[in-house]
Amino acid sequence: MNFNISHVTSNPIILCSTVLAGIGWLLTFIAACVTHLHGASWWIVIYEFGLMMIIYLVLKKSMFNEYQLLLLILLAISIAMLTQLIEMFMNRTDQGSHAGAAGGCMLVIMQYLWVFIFGSTEQSAIVCSIYGMQHSTPLASQTQFSNSSYRSNIGGSLRSIGTASSYRAQRIQRQQERQQKQFSEKQQMQQRELSLRSNNATSQKKNSRSVSTSNVSDVNNNNTEATSTLNVINPPLTPSEVPATPTSIAPTLSVLPTNNDNNNNNNTSTLTASTTTVLKKNNVKALHAYRANLEDPNELSFEKHEVLEILDKRGNWWQAKKKDGSIGIVPSNYFAA
């Protein structure tokens, strides 16, 4: 039990023991002054005063649980020293020594009571009996006054009216409320973590799709620019510039092409050969079949051993073109190098 100063002031038994202990020490101090004690006897009187101050400070600061063992040890030492002081007073014949012996006896009895109270647990018979007698007188009037309200409010809290059982029920109820609060806070933290994880996963997926879509648009723009550049370098031939097809195989000077025609034919054949080489280098064969994700319109489906033209090889997803002209992205690990 965590004793504090309120347990002393609100309980008549403990309060009376404190007052009697103070009176006993005061009698002992006056007797020591009257009888002119000297030596170790004065140290015993000073020790008793210091012990009472330590007990008061511990209860005032509500630190009884931390210093319970220390207080019990100090009380045991005090009882042993007071026994010697009482014996010394009893061996004298003057009235002041007898008064000091009486004060020492009062102090020893109160300290024995404190040892039993401080050393007992909350469920012990001593603590229960002491706190059960705290409000024993007005108990009947309180019960009659609160019968009607208690019956109408069954779900009300069971508050202590002076008995030890109601005090324990109150403490158990506080512990249950504290545990329920901690459990609800833990559940709220878990729900917040799950919502944050789901939001992060959704945002990452959207970012990856936007990146793949931008790659597709970049590849299409690059193809358009390449086509326009080829048209500027080698413009398409007009009907008048197309060389006439020879009608006979006989070697005549009239059917031989001119120098301009030879240059155009050489440029066209060179461009065609280079384009064919590039297409052959960019064509890849699928190692496995793949079905595109229905949620992503940019992906392409393909069959095993199907040949696709790769337009862009950046990243793990390539920009590819099928034979039917459809363009999209495909996973790079599904194709041979």
Side-chain angles (χ1 to χ4, degrees), residues 54-101:
I54 290 173
I55 294 174
Y56 172 76
L57 291 176
V58 169
L59 296 179
K60 183 68 176 178
K61 300 294 184 179
S62 299
M63 297 186 297
F64 178 78
N65 288 337
E66 290 82 358
Y67 298 99
Q68 181 181 8
L69 183 60
L70 177 62
L71 293 179
L72 292 175
I73 293 173
L74 293 177
L75 285 172
I77 296 172
S78 174
I79 292 171
M81 290 191 299
L82 279 174
T83 304
Q84 295 179 358
L85 185 63
I86 292 169
E87 184 180 0
M88 186 190 65
F89 278 132
M90 292 296 293
N91 291 330
R92 295 187 178 188
T93 57
D94 57 314
Q95 293 181 355
S97 297
H98 292 171

Side-chain angles (χ1 to χ4, degrees), residues 100-218:
C105 290
M106 292 174 60
L107 192 56
V108 165
I109 292 172
M110 295 304 106
Q111 288 183 0
Y112 269 114
L113 179 62
W114 292 350
V115 168
F116 281 106
I117 294 173
F118 293 164
S120 302
T121 60
E122 185 180 355
Q123 294 81 15
S124 63
I126 295 176
V127 176
C128 292
S129 61
I130 289 174
Y131 282 92
M133 294 171 61
Q134 184 176 358
H135 299 288
S136 59
T137 303
L139 183 59
S141 60
Q142 289 180 0
T143 304
Q144 292 176 359
F145 179 77
S146 61
N147 273 337
S148 58
S149 61
Y150 179 78
R151 291 175 183 175
S152 61
N153 190 11
I154 299 176
S157 61
L158 298 175
R159 295 186 177 178
S160 175
I161 57 175
T163 61
S165 59
S166 61
Y167 180 80
R168 289 195 299 271
Q170 206 175 31
R171 185 174 179 180
I172 293 172
Q173 185 178 2
R174 287 196 297 267
Q175 290 178 353
Q176 291 177 354
E177 291 176 355
R178 193 181 300 109
Q179 292 176 356
Q180 290 178 358
K181 185 177 180 180
Q182 292 177 355
F183 181 74
S184 61
E185 290 178 355
K186 188 176 181 180
Q187 284 185 340
Q188 291 177 0
M189 290 294 293
Q190 291 178 353
Q191 291 177 358
R192 290 176 183 174
E193 290 179 358
L194 291 175
S195 62
L196 289 174
R197 290 177 181 176
S198 61
N199 292 333
N200 291 333
T202 305
S203 61
Q204 290 177 358
K205 190 173 182 180
K206 289 181 179 179
N207 291 332
S208 61
R209 289 182 178 177
S210 62
V211 170
S212 62
T213 306
S214 63
N215 290 334
V216 172
S217 60
D218 292 340

